[in-house]
């Protein structure tokens, strides 16, 4: 891996390079996605079935679009029993973590008859998108469905592209069943997003769509936002490791490669104050590359978006960490918990040499659907709050309103909204 001295100019250059991977730069595909969405919105099932045949090679019909209970049962038979046990344990951890995020409605009543509060309500229908094609990700199935289930969503549906024979990956089906999905539909790509956003004869309209996908899925989610809610526009995966001279270089190399193998656009960055560590990490990366199965993808990812940055001190390193705002941040310093208090921007933080990033991907419990491309500055991981709505509650007695109605009227009149002012004045026009 390239070793570069961290400076203002190198940091900005890296930021500019990373931002090239943002879905906001996929404008070349927007016209195609827009056409797919418009047609599905107009024609419903007819367009959805046509696109599935065109892109996935499977002839959808109203009778076969929904995965049956028998197919789900067969999926359990096809999966290794030990893997099923691991999926169940992972689901338990995810469910327990997200249960801690639950909020209750609250009300604050005062003696004068003022009651203010917040009513917490789960959304009615959630749609989960699960990629298919080259790879299947049962872990992402758990991370999408379980928070919605914990939140109390009434109906959770899932769409995922079928193979040419109509089959859906058995791991995906088992994970969805364990997580508590209500229905699974064979549909993928932008057409599946459009179907969930607007509804068709076969696929119900949902209130929110979550889940990762390719460029077309990302752009489709962006396009339907406003008709439905979405989690975020996910970009390629990324990891940033912050380390000092106490860190284990072999662990760091392994962790950097764990994200670089996702795809050629994935980013893997080490920021360290130790030149010796930087050189040893680079050497360990080369050693691992000769042994790992996705060597070509790994090499392209590291060539394009892999960096080892040498910082003068930890303050300079932390400034860069907060500016990059990585999806995954590992802190491998002599006191990682103290270092963590100085981090403002990161999707998920992993502390210490035994908190390897894949632990978060698969098993620990926190959600692995995280903000990318610097959006950790203002976005959060998928969580229970993504599946609830908050409604304000206001109740005033006559006594309470009488004390303040003049203030309300004055404020309204200052904005030339006399009907607003009249709305409170009229309640006291009898002078009683």
């Amino acid at each position: 891996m390239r070793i570069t001295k961290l400076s203002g100019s190198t940091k900005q250059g890296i930021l500019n390079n990373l931002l090239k991977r943002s879905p906001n730069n996929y404008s070349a595909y927007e016209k195609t996605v827009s056409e797919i969405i418009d047609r599905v919105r107009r024609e419903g099932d007819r367009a959805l079935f046509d696109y599935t045949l065109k892109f996935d090679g499977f002839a959808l019909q109203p009778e076969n679009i929904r995965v049956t209970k028998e197919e789900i049962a067969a999926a359990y038979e096809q999966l290794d029993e030990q893997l099923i046990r691991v999926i169940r344990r992972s689901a338990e951890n995810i469910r327990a973590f997200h249960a801690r995020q639950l909020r209750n409605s609250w009300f604050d009543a005062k003696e004068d008859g003022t009651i203010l509060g917040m009513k917490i309500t789960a959304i009615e229908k959630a749609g989960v998108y699960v990629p298919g094609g080259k790879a299947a990700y049962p872990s992402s199935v758990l991370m999408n469905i379980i928070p919605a289930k914990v939140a109390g969503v009434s109906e959770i549906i899932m769409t995922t592209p079928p193979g040419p024979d109509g089959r859906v990956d058995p791991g995906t089906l088992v994970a969805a069943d364990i997580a508590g999905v209500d229905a699974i539909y064979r549909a993928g790509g932008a057409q599946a997003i459009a179907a969930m956003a607007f509804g068709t004869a076969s696929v119900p309209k949902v209130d929110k769509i979550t889940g990762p996908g390719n460029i077309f899925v990302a752009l489709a989610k962006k396009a339907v936002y406003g008709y439905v809610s979405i989690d975020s526009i996910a970009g390629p995966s990324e990891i940033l490791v912050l380390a000092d001279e106490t860190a284990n270089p072999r662990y760091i190399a392994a962790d950097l490669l764990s994200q670089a193998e996702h795809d050629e656009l994935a980013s893997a960055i080490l920021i360290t104050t130790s030149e010796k560590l930087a050189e040893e990490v680079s050497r360990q990366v080369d050693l691992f590359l000769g042994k790992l199965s996705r060597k070509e993808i790994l090499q392209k990812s590291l060539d394009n978006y892999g960096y080892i940055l040498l910082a003068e001190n930890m303050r300079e390193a932390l400034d860069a960490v907060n500016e990059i705002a990585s999806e995954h941040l590992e802190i491998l310093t002599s006191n990682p918990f103290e270092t963590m208090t100085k981090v403002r921007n990161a999707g998920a933080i992993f502390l210490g040499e035994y908190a390897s990033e894949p632990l978060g991907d698969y098993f620990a419990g926190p959600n692995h659907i995280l903000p990318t491309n610097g959006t950790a500055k203002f976005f959060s991981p998928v969580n229970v709050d993504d599946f609830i709505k908050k409604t304000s509650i206001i109740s005033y007695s006559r006594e309470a309103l009488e004390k303040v109605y003049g203030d309300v009227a004055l404020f309204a009149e200052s904005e030339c909204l006399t009907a607003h002012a009249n709305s409170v004045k009229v309640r006291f026009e009898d002078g009683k």
Side-chain angles (χ1 to χ4, degrees), residues 265-335:
L265 295 175
S267 167
I269 299 173
L270 165 65
I271 301 179
T272 181
T273 52
S274 169
E275 185 173 359
K276 180 181 178 183
L277 180 78
E279 291 172 350
E280 183 58 24
V281 168
S282 181
R283 190 179 76 84
Q284 289 291 336
V285 165
D286 290 339
L287 291 175
F288 277 126
L289 278 174
K291 304 175 183 177
L292 297 170
S293 61
R294 295 166 69 89
K295 181 178 180 180
E296 187 175 340
I297 290 173
L298 285 164
Q299 191 63 64
K300 287 183 178 179
S301 171
L302 295 178
D303 288 345
N304 293 323
Y305 303 106
Y307 300 92
I308 297 176
L309 302 176
L310 272 174
E312 286 286 338
N313 50 56
M314 191 54 65
R315 181 182 59 79
E316 183 183 62
L318 282 161
D319 285 345
V321 165
N322 283 318
E323 192 64 28
I324 293 170
S326 184
E327 177 188 18
H328 306 97
L329 170 64
E330 289 190 1
I331 300 179
L332 299 171
T333 60
S334 58
N335 191 339

Side-chain angles (χ1 to χ4, degrees), residues 70-84:
E70 290 75 18
E71 288 175 280
I72 294 172
Y76 278 93
E77 297 298 322
Q78 298 170 50
L79 224 56
D80 179 76
E81 288 187 8
Q82 186 173 351
L83 176 57
I84 294 173

Side-chain angles (χ1 to χ4, degrees), residues 238 325-329 343-350 366-367 369-372 375-377 379-382:
E238 52 199 33
S326 184
E327 177 188 18
H328 306 97
L329 170 64
V343 173
R344 181 179 293 272
N345 304 319
I349 301 175
F350 301 77
N367 211 290
I369 303 170
L370 304 165
T372 57
T375 60
K377 292 179 179 178
F379 277 141
S380 305
V382 165

Side-chain angles (χ1 to χ4, degrees), residues 59 141 219 277:
V141 176
L219 288 176
L277 180 78

